[in-house]
């Protein structure tokens, strides 16, 4: 029995039941890669998938600035409001945690499984988004003292 495919199928089912298309689409794509025996894609995705995902996420976040919906004056005003300053500080902290998370995940692959399961559960049942593994790994690295 192919347990990897079974786990992917269960996770896809969780995505469907919870109404989370992100989880469902990701699991179905991975299942299709397994079924079509396109196994060379896995090593490529492991190597570049995270970077590509972060690039796409950054493009999505920066689009309002690029499209002109957020002006330079609005950006400058963000340095004058306490909520914006707090948002900047939180952004710095999260970026730092994400960096620690990448280091921990690449140095201790055994941790990745737990982080991924927790992230999928968070996405499927708590309306989260799948950027959690990096930040979760960063928090974990602070707790266990690893970088």
């Amino acid at each position: 029995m192919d347990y990897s495919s079974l786990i992917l199928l269960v996770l896809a089912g969780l995505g469907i039941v919870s109404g989370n298309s992100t989880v469902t689409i990701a699991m179905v794509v991975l299942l299709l890669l397994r079924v079509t025996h396109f196994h060379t894609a896995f090593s490529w995705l492991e190597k570049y998938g995270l970077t590509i995902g972060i690039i796409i996420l950054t493009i999505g976040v920066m689009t309002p600035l690029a499209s002109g919906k957020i002006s330079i004056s609005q950006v400058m005003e963000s340095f004058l409001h306490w909520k914006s300053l707090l948002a900047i500080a939180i952004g710095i902290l999260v970026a730092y945690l994400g960096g620690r998370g990448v280091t921990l995940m690449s140095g201790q692959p055994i941790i990745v499984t737990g982080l991924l399961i927790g992230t999928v559960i968070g996405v499927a049942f708590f309306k989260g988004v799948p950027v959690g593994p990096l930040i979760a790994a960063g928090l974990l690295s602070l707790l266990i003292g690893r970088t």
Side-chain angles (χ1 to χ4, degrees):
M1 177 173 238
D2 183 6
Y3 288 108
S4 295
S5 292
L6 183 61
I7 291 169
L8 291 172
L9 191 58
V10 167
L11 293 173
L14 286 175
I16 292 168
V17 168
S18 66
N20 192 304
S21 61
T22 306
V23 170
T24 305
I25 292 168
M27 297 308 123
V28 167
V29 166
L30 292 171
L31 273 168
L32 287 173
L33 290 174
R34 286 189 66 77
V35 170
T36 59
H37 301 290
F38 193 47
H39 296 281
T40 55
F42 292 127
S43 61
W44 189 88
L45 285 170
E46 284 182 48
K47 188 173 183 179
Y48 301 110
L50 184 60
T51 301
I52 292 168
I54 291 171
I55 290 169
I56 292 170
L57 181 63
T58 304
I59 289 169
V61 169
M62 297 305 292
T63 297
L65 182 65
S67 69
K69 288 184 179 176
I70 296 176
S71 67
I72 289 295
S73 63
Q74 288 173 308
V75 171
M76 298 311 289
E77 287 173 18
S78 71
F79 291 101
L80 302 175
H81 195 277
W82 73 270
K83 288 182 182 176
S84 294
L85 290 172
L86 185 58
I88 290 168
I90 299 286
I92 292 168
L93 176 64
V94 168
Y96 169 72
L97 289 174
R100 286 183 65 109
V102 168
T103 303
L104 181 68
M105 289 172 74
S106 61
Q108 297 191 30
I110 191 77
I111 292 173
V112 174
T113 306
L115 293 170
L116 293 177
I117 290 169
T119 298
V120 169
I121 290 169
V123 170
F125 294 111
F126 300 105
K127 305 291 184 203
V129 291
V131 295
L134 291 178
I135 296 162
L139 287 170
L140 182 62
S141 76
L142 288 176
L143 293 173
I144 65 175
R146 306 270 180 169
T147 56

